[in-house]
Amino acid sequence: MDYQIGQVIDGIVTGIQPYGAFVQLDVRTQGLIHISECRSAFIKCVDDELRVGMKIKVMILDIDEYSGKVSLSRRSVLSNLELEQANLELSSEKNHFHYWTNQYLDFGFTTIAKNKAAMVEEAMQRLK
C-alpha cells in the first residue's frame, strides 16, 4: 500500500451503510468514510450525501498497517464553495426563528421604570 496519511485522492463510492460509505481507492484498496466525515454538517443518513458510483475526493485519515483498513474523510477536502452550498441547504431547511419570550410584548427596563410605583405598591401589600 503506497498511501500516506493526509494524502488527498480520488475514489468511487462502492457501498453505503448506516454508519458510512465504502470507497474504492484502487483495484486492491478500499476505505471507509464514517458518517461523521461525510460533511461538516449533521446528516441523518449517508444516502442524503453520497450515492454508489459517485466519484469523490477524499483524504486519508488513518491506515491500519496490520489489517490494511483505511479511514477516509470527505469533509476535510470539500472546497469552500461546496461547504457554502451545503450550509445554504441546511439553513434553508431551518429558516425560522425561536423567541424565548413573546416578542410583541413591551417588556424591558423602560416598562419597569414606568410601572415602578405600582410594582412597589404591590410588593408592599404582599409584605403586610
Side-chain angles (χ1 to χ4, degrees):
M1 186 179 310
D2 295 331
Y3 297 112
Q4 296 177 359
I5 295 174
Q7 184 178 359
V8 177
I9 54 176
D10 290 322
I12 297 175
V13 178
T14 57
I16 294 180
Q17 295 294 320
Y19 52 84
F22 291 97
V23 178
Q24 189 74 36
L25 303 177
D26 61 31
V27 178
R28 297 175 290 134
T29 311
Q30 188 173 18
L32 173 70
I33 302 174
H34 188 266
I35 189 170
S36 64
E37 292 294 331
C38 288
R39 183 169 73 180
S40 294
F42 173 78
I43 58 174
K44 285 185 180 181
C45 62
V46 181
D47 289 321
D48 294 342
E49 191 68 22
L50 301 171
R51 300 275 183 254
V52 173
M54 195 174 180
K55 187 174 181 180
I56 59 173
K57 283 195 177 300
V58 292
M59 178 185 284
I60 298 177
L61 293 180
D62 191 29
I63 301 171
D64 186 345
E65 295 293 333
Y66 179 73
S67 66
K69 292 181 179 178
V70 180
S71 296
L72 304 170
S73 173
R74 181 170 178 254
R75 73 179 179 160
S76 60
V77 296
L78 287 176
S79 69
N80 288 336
L81 178 60
E82 290 170 320
L83 284 172
E84 287 174 13
Q85 288 173 347
N87 289 335
L88 270 176
E89 290 170 8
L90 284 176
S91 65
S92 67
E93 293 171 5
K94 300 177 183 178
N95 200 11
H96 57 280
F97 298 96
H98 294 284
Y99 295 99
W100 295 105
T101 62
N102 189 336
Q103 63 181 338
Y104 302 109
L105 295 178
D106 187 22
F107 290 126
F109 294 114
T110 322
T111 308
I112 293 172
K114 289 178 189 175
N115 297 325
K116 179 182 174 189
M119 294 164 111
V120 170
E121 179 67 32
E122 182 184 338
M124 295 305 284
Q125 292 296 325
R126 286 185 188 173
L127 289 173
K128 291 182 182 179

